[in-house]
């Protein structure tokens, strides 16, 4: 889309602003905030976390909100920004996103603006001048800007009521996205003659990051809320597939969801290119994104995806930070990521609008090897002290173990993830990985997408083999021995005389899987390095005990659940509400795309998928009914009401 160059000079919406300012002679109340939420954004009420934060901010108290993606963090500062007198400054690292965020505000009738390096110096001056005149309620800035003398001078001339810090974890060196410029924020806040209220928001939950945020931003006794990290609308699935099958599965999935937007994550640039090329050869168009592309190429790619010109994005993890696109319906991991954190962050880009969405992880042993390879190379040529490197490697291995546990667990996948976040870095406690008391009913394990295969005999043979060999061989050799291979290196070593020799008739791959699983469960242990050796694990004696059984999960070949709609129970699935809905939804989707293109803004900014679904359900015929639709405020009604109601009416007549 063409980013409007004179963003700040875009005609503001008369009438909606002046009243707000004068109305705020006394402190705005929660009722004022709720009225603004409904009027501008079309939502009936705040969600719990939002209510807590908004309440604190309106009372003039600093606040810290830790909420998962999709929780609605932006309302926590946008709504106070609207109802408080003066200007709310929003510090965000996501420069490329600011114009979309501001377009969304303008489209909702809120006077928003931004200042960043994509504006010319002249445009920046214009925006600042207009801000001094009181034109805006909300202004986005990049943290670098805060140290700029001209900006400081500007700020001294406006009434800043609130400073909101988005992606606040960027201030912490312990997070994944540390930005040195975030360290400027504290000084900036303290430079005000009258200190504004400060609200910090992040989706990163770790205690260390949280402490850093309070400390490094200088928050004063912040009202803090950590909402649950569960994302009930996300369905989680894990499938173990050979490399060749993975791409077929991806192509099949896309074919089953032809009108839906999704992201496919790969762990290497080459894999992105290979997969995108292969998909193209199968007639599937996709955008791609990785660090090997030029900035212009990447921007173009991202734009095509956000504007729904390309529904599928194939990318490395370089893609996604700050992707606000709310209608991503699925995220497929073509490779296993290196940690649960990374996985949940990437998968969490699905379903920000709260609509049912899927997160599918495809993996195989090759992914494990790739991850181990990267861990072995940590700190290489970095001049980092050796013990530091070892410490980092040990942490990363533990994170990888958790990730592998996720791939292999037969318990509830959601329970597994939430447990991980609850007991971060506490290490695996053996039982942890299997924990699943009740199950969520909305993941591939709870939905029983697999069957259990008894592999007790194989497990016993492998354990016996490791004990007899005293742990000096790798997985393949053990598989050869228990399967009775006649290989020369084996016979020469007299290994055919071991009691475990030739006691298993299953495939070598199955034996290796069993060894991996035994290692994941602590019965065996696989050493690190280029030639991993299988050794006894801390729980090895359990395998010798009477009554020992061992079973392994195997994905069923037939997958009726996965191909039927979302795979969700029908009570939550929109697929169940009849094909008429699907048809109307599609028409509204096309209309949304056309209206978005006409204005040069992303379709999700016009309406979320959730709003379109709600229109399908309500079939509004007049302004009052249209205002009932979730996400429809006064401005949206004014702008789009007629077009959408006409489409709905036409659909009703034709049916
Ligand atoms: P986050 O930044 O926490 O990931 P967003 O601010 O992008 O979340 O909001 C996620 C989605 O939830 C958006 O589509 C937003 O419009 C919607 N939303 C936010 N607040 C509410 C609310 N109170 N009621 C209904 N929907 C909401
Ligand atoms: Zn589950």
């Amino acid at each position: 889309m063409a980013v409007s160059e004179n963003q700040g000079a875009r005609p503001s919406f008369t009438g909606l602003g002046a009243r707000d300012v004068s109305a705020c002679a006394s402190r705005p109340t929660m009722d004022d905030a709720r009225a603004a939420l409904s009027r501008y954004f079309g939502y009936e009420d705040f969600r719990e976390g939002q209510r807590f934060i908004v309440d604190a901010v309106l009372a003039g108290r600093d606040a810290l909100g830790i909420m998962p993606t999709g929780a609605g963090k932006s309302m926590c500062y946008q709504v106070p920004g609207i109802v408080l007198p003066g200007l709310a400054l929003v510090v965000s690292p996501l420069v490329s996103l600011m114009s979309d965020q501001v377009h969304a505000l303008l489209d909702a009738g809120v006077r928003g603006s931004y200042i960043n390096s994509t504006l010319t110096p002249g445009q920046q001056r214009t925006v600042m001048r207009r801000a001094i005149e009181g034109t805006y309620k909300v202004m986005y800035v990049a943290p670098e800007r805060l140290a700029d003398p001209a900006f400081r001078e500007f700020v001294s001339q406006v009434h800043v009521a609130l400073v909101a810090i988005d992606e606040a974890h960027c201030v912490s060196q312990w997070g994944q996205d540390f930005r040195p410029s975030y360290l400027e924020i504290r000084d900036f806040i303290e430079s005000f003659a009258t200190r504004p209220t400060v609200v910090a928001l992040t989706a990163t939950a770790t205690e260390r990051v949280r402490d850093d945020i309070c400390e490094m931003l200088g928050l004063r006794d912040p009202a803090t809320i950590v909402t649950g990290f569960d994302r009930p609308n996300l369905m989680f699935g894990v499938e173990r597939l050979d490399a060749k099958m993975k791409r077929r599965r991806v192509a099949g999935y896309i074919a089953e969801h032809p009108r839906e937007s999704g992201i496919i994550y790969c762990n290497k640039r080459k894999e992105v290119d290979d997969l995108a090329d292969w998909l193209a050869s199968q007639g599937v168009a996709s955008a791609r994104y990785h660090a090997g592309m030029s900035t212009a190429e990447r921007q173009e790619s991202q734009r095509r995806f956000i504007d729904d010109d390309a529904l599928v994005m194939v990318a490395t993890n370089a893609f996604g930070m700050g992707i606000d696109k709310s209608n991503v319906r699925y995220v497929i991991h073509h490779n296993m990521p290196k940690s649960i954190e990374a996985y949940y962050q990437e998968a969490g880009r699905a379903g920000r609008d709260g609509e049912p969405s899927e997160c599918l992880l495809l993996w195989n042993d090759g992914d494990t090897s790739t991850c181990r390879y990267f861990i072995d190379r940590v700190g290489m040529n970095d001049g980092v002290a050796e013990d530091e490197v070892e410490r980092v490697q040990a942490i990363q291995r533990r994170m990888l173990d958790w990730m592998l546990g996720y791939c292999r667990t037969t318990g509830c996948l959601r329970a597994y993830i939430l447990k991980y976040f609850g007991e971060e870095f506490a290490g695996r406690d053996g039982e942890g990985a299997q924990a699943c008391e009740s199950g969520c009913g909305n993941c591939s394990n709870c939905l029983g997408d697999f069957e259990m295969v008894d592999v007790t005999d194989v497990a016993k043979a492998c354990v016996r083999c490791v004990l007899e060999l005293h742990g000096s061989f790798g997985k393949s050799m053990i598989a050869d021995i228990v399967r009775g291979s006649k290989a020369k290196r084996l016979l020469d070593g007299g290994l055919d005389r071991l009691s475990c020799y030739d006691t298993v008739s299953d495939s070598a791959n199955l034996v290796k899987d069993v060894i991996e699983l035994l290692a994941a469960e602590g019965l065996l242990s696989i050493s690190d390095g280029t030639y991993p050796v299988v050794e006894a694990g801390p729980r090895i004696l359990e395998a010798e005990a009477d009554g020992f059984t061992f079973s392994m999960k195997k994905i069923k070949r037939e997958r009726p659940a996965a191909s039927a709609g979302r795979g969700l129970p029908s009570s939550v699935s929109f697929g169940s509400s009849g094909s008429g809905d699907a048809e109307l939804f599609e028409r509204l989707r096309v209309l949304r795309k056309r209206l978005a293109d006409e204005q040069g803004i992303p379709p999700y900014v016009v309406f979320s998928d959730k709003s379109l679904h709600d229109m399908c359900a309500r079939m509004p015929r007049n302004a009052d009914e249209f205002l009932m639709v979730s996400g429809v405020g006064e401005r949206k009604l004014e702008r789009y009401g007629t077009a959408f109601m006409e489409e709905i009416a036409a659909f009703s007549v034709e049916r």
Side-chain angles (χ1 to χ4, degrees):
M1 98 183 189
V3 175
S4 157
E5 283 295 62
N6 59 344
Q7 184 51 239
R10 191 168 164 143
S12 71
F13 304 116
T14 47
L16 290 174
R19 247 179 303 157
D20 298 336
V21 181
S22 56
C24 292
S26 57
R27 266 203 178 281
T29 62
M30 265 324 257
D31 282 344
D32 298 326
R34 220 169 278 123
L37 179 75
S38 150
R39 173 171 171 199
Y40 294 97
F41 301 104
Y43 300 130
E44 217 167 311
D45 204 351
F46 288 110
R47 294 171 178 158
E48 191 193 333
Q50 293 173 328
R51 193 175 307 119
F52 179 90
I53 297 284
V54 171
D55 197 39
V57 169
L58 293 186
R61 181 166 170 200
D62 283 2
L64 170 60
I66 298 162
M67 308 176 196
T69 308
K73 290 187 281 297
S74 31
M75 292 298 142
C76 295
Y77 53 79
Q78 289 178 349
V79 171
I82 293 168
V83 299
L84 285 169
L87 180 70
L89 274 181
V90 184
V91 183
S92 163
L94 308 168
V95 168
S96 64
L97 207 74
M98 286 180 189
S99 95
D100 283 355
Q101 286 169 320
V102 170
H103 274 120
L105 280 178
L106 294 173
D107 209 45
V110 180
R111 291 167 296 126
S113 61
Y114 66 86
I115 297 185
N116 65 31
S117 51
T118 66
L119 300 182
T120 64
Q123 290 169 333
Q124 293 178 19
R125 278 193 299 275
T126 306
V127 174
M128 287 193 265
R129 179 172 49 74
R130 294 173 60 95
I132 292 168
E133 291 164 1
T135 310
Y136 308 119
K137 296 302 301 175
V138 180
M139 176 187 279
Y140 284 81
V141 289
E144 293 76 18
R145 184 71 39 178
L146 306 183
D148 174 29
F151 186 75
R152 291 268 180 119
E153 166 61 22
F154 150 67
V155 163
S156 72
Q157 298 176 61
V158 283
H159 172 43
V160 176
L162 176 67
V163 174
I165 296 136
D166 209 359
E167 313 286 346
H169 61 280
C170 289
V171 80
S172 171
Q173 310 218 28
W174 296 105
Q176 300 204 24
D177 327 288
F178 172 61
R179 310 273 167 130
S181 53
Y182 261 58
L183 299 175
E184 302 283 348
I185 298 175
R186 182 179 189 146
D187 181 65
F188 173 73
I189 292 168
E190 282 164 8
S191 73
F192 284 90
T194 312
R195 185 179 177 281
T197 307
V198 182
V199 57
L201 298 153
T202 177
T204 304
T206 70
E207 191 111 7
R208 190 135 54 163
V209 171
R210 205 186 308 169
D211 292 346
D212 267 4
I213 291 173
C214 293
E215 159 98 23
M216 309 302 253
L217 294 177
L219 299 186
R220 293 190 186 166
D221 179 31
T224 303
I225 187 165
V226 186
T227 64
F229 267 68
D230 188 19
R231 301 275 309 278
N233 63 314
L234 299 187
M235 189 235 169
F236 291 94
V238 171
E239 288 174 31
R240 182 176 189 171
L241 293 173
D242 292 342
K244 261 180 290 174
M245 292 308 294
K246 279 185 176 180
R247 18 168 87 178
R248 298 180 60 80
R249 175 76 174 113
V250 170
Y253 189 97
I254 295 171
E256 282 168 18
H257 303 85
R259 295 190 182 87
E260 296 185 352
S261 183
I263 306 174
I264 323 285
Y265 278 112
C266 301
N267 62 2
K268 288 186 259 182
R269 294 175 195 179
K270 185 167 179 310
E271 208 132 7
V272 168
D273 285 330
D274 288 352
L275 180 61
D277 288 343
W278 185 82
L279 286 172
S281 78
Q282 304 294 303
V284 179
S286 63
R288 68 184 78 183
Y289 192 106
H290 59 65
M293 294 159 56
S294 72
T295 310
E297 284 172 329
R298 273 181 286 151
Q299 276 173 354
E300 164 66 11
S301 226
Q302 176 167 330
R303 187 43 68 193
R304 288 208 308 133
F305 179 66
I306 288 176
D307 287 352
D308 285 345
D309 289 326
L311 287 177
V312 180
M313 170 63 94
V314 184
T316 61
N317 62 6
F319 178 75
M321 163 87 164
I323 295 302
D324 243 356
K325 191 177 195 300
S326 68
N327 61 335
V328 175
R329 292 272 70 89
Y330 60 87
V331 171
I332 300 178
H333 277 75
H334 184 259
N335 302 98
M336 182 180 71
K338 62 185 195 322
S339 67
I340 299 273
E341 259 113 339
Y343 180 65
Y344 204 53
Q345 188 172 57
E346 287 156 21
R349 292 184 180 128
R352 292 177 78 115
D353 54 9
E355 293 289 281
S357 308
E358 283 186 3
C359 307
L360 180 61
L361 170 56
L362 310 179
W363 74 287
N364 61 36
D365 284 341
D367 298 333
T368 322
S369 310
T370 306
C371 290
R372 294 229 155 92
Y373 172 82
F374 282 127
I375 294 175
D376 286 339
R377 291 173 62 89
V378 162
M380 263 185 155
N381 317 321
D382 270 1
V384 182
E386 202 168 313
D387 55 344
E388 175 67 9
V389 168
E390 278 171 20
R391 199 181 61 82
V392 172
Q393 285 178 330
I395 292 173
Q396 293 195 354
R397 288 205 179 95
R398 206 151 73 209
M399 307 222 291
L400 180 60
D401 281 344
W402 271 96
M403 191 69 237
L404 264 172
Y406 178 79
C407 292
R408 293 183 177 283
T409 185
T410 53
C412 173
L413 294 173
R414 188 184 313 275
Y416 187 96
I417 291 174
L418 294 176
K419 181 161 179 77
Y420 175 82
F421 285 113
E423 290 187 9
E424 217 170 25
F425 299 124
R428 292 184 54 177
D429 55 10
E431 295 305 306
Q434 298 283 334
C436 167
E437 290 81 23
S438 47
C440 71
N442 191 17
C443 71
S444 56
N445 285 354
C446 286
L447 292 169
D449 239 359
F450 62 90
E451 56 198 359
M452 297 300 287
V453 185
D454 188 310
V455 288
T456 307
D457 291 342
V458 182
K460 281 184 164 170
C462 293
V463 165
R464 211 171 325 126
C465 187
V466 168
L467 288 171
E468 286 184 89
L469 288 170
H470 302 295
S472 40
F473 292 100
K475 275 190 295 184
S476 304
M477 189 60 148
I478 294 174
D480 282 353
I481 295 170
V482 297
R483 295 178 70 245
S485 156
K486 300 272 188 300
K488 188 165 180 307
R489 59 176 182 144
L490 195 151
L491 300 178
D492 285 355
L495 298 177
D496 54 340
R497 289 196 298 273
L498 295 171
S499 75
C500 61
Y501 182 77
D502 201 10
T503 52
V504 169
S505 56
D506 296 280
S507 74
N509 279 339
L510 183 128
V511 176
K512 289 189 218 171
D513 281 353
V514 171
I515 294 173
E516 287 270 350
L517 194 55
L518 285 165
E521 301 276 311
L523 291 134
L524 294 177
S525 149
I526 300 176
S527 70
D528 300 312
T530 320
Y531 301 104
V533 166
V534 183
E535 298 161 342
R539 294 173 55 196
I540 192 159
L541 290 181
E542 292 175 24
E544 304 272 272
D546 283 348
F548 170 76
T549 62
F550 202 72
S551 46
M552 195 168 74
K553 136 182 169 187
K554 187 169 157 241
I555 301 291
K556 285 181 193 159
R557 278 283 153 254
E558 296 303 317
R559 315 183 36 84
S563 51
R566 282 255 82 88
L568 292 162
S570 52
S571 57
V572 237
S573 172
F574 283 93
S576 62
S577 34
S579 60
D581 268 15
E583 204 183 315
L584 178 57
F585 182 83
E586 182 54 19
R587 287 173 68 151
L588 299 184
R589 199 179 71 91
V590 171
L591 174 62
R592 172 178 71 177
K593 172 72 174 139
R594 182 164 61 74
L595 293 173
D597 285 351
E598 279 169 16
Q599 303 174 82
I601 60 178
Y604 80 86
V605 165
V606 173
F607 280 124
S608 68
D609 278 11
K610 190 189 180 78
S611 296
L612 296 194
H613 278 302
D614 208 26
M615 281 179 215
C616 294
R618 294 175 186 272
M619 307 273 279
R621 282 160 305 174
N622 55 46
D624 285 345
E625 289 177 10
F626 200 75
L627 267 179
M628 300 288 285
V629 173
S630 169
V632 174
E634 287 177 15
R635 169 66 48 173
K636 298 270 185 199
L637 167 67
E638 212 172 286
R639 270 207 169 173
Y640 307 119
T642 311
F644 279 87
M645 283 187 283
E646 276 175 3
E647 191 70 31
I648 291 166
F651 170 81
S652 313
V653 171
E654 287 165 29
R655 196 151 62 150

